[in-house]
Amino acid sequence: NAGVMQNPRHLVRRRGQEARLRCSPMKGHSHVYWYRQLPEEGLKFMVYLQKENIIDESGMPKERFSAEFPKEGPSILRIQQVVRGDSAAYFCASSPFSKGTDTQYFGPGTRLTVL
Amino acid sequence: TQLLEQSPQFLSIQEGENLTVYCNSSSVFSSLQWYRQEPGEGPVLLVTVVTGGEVKKLKRLTFQFGDARKDSSLHITAAQPGDTGLYLCAGARDAGGTSYGKLTFGQGTILTVHP
């Protein structure tokens, strides 16, 4: 059973470009969470999605960031007009259910560098 | 607002010593998960504790969830150089009527075990 997959593992963008990060959850998991880990900081929740629905985006910056989890295909975190402060590791996690007692399994992350 | 205080932030010990990492909060959690993260990789789940007072053992690692489900500890017996890494605690809380597992992470403990 394959784990959570993320691609690309490393992404370099120039200021003003768009970054698209992809996440394929574990087989059988329909709940996806995105977290961001800034240098020298801990992981911070960004958004929680189910298929075709955004459930909680309270951790997402108000501008330039968006996320989706379509009926078919991976979940995508999109960052428009990237700035240097967006440089970070972005992790996706998935779980089979949405209860607070459920374990989340993390992918290897995408490391975004903005030049 | 930092809901999970993890301590110590850094721990440097000799092989064979014992150590304890603490995770404390004023909030009640539905579950508490411990992860280990290697440089350049995503967090890897060690254990999930759900019940207040629960104790789980994983070889030389012992995890405890506080009776009130507000705190947790990780104890490592006879540490080995292979235990070196970043240890993270993360709590999931039910959010007023909507139960889902958005994780709040502690700041992490960087453990170094010297041979």
Side-chain angles (χ1 to χ4, degrees), chain B residues 33-64:
Chain B
Q33 300 170 25
W34 285 91
Y35 295 86
R36 178 175 160 180
Q37 186 179 17
E38 300 294 335
E41 298 296 330
V44 175
L45 180 73
L46 295 174
V47 79
T48 300
V49 285
V50 175
T51 306
E54 182 176 8
V55 176
K56 283 193 174 179
K57 292 193 174 184
L58 186 66
K59 297 184 179 178
R60 293 176 294 101
L61 279 60
T62 301
F63 304 85
Q64 186 163 9

Side-chain angles (χ1 to χ4, degrees), chain A residues 86-101:
Chain A
D86 296 333
S87 295
Y90 291 82
F91 293 98
C92 166
S94 73
S95 67
F97 304 105
S98 65
K99 292 182 180 179
T101 53

Side-chain angles (χ1 to χ4, degrees), chain A residues 64-78:
Chain A
R64 303 187 296 108
F65 285 71
S66 63
E68 63 178 12
F69 190 14
K71 186 176 181 180
E72 301 291 336
S75 174
I76 295 177
L77 179 66
R78 184 181 292 109

Side-chain angles (χ1 to χ4, degrees), chain B residues 67-83:
Chain B
D67 291 340
R69 292 186 290 132
K70 293 182 178 181
D71 55 87
S72 182
S73 64
L74 157 61
H75 182 79
I76 301 179
T77 304
Q80 300 177 0
D83 296 327

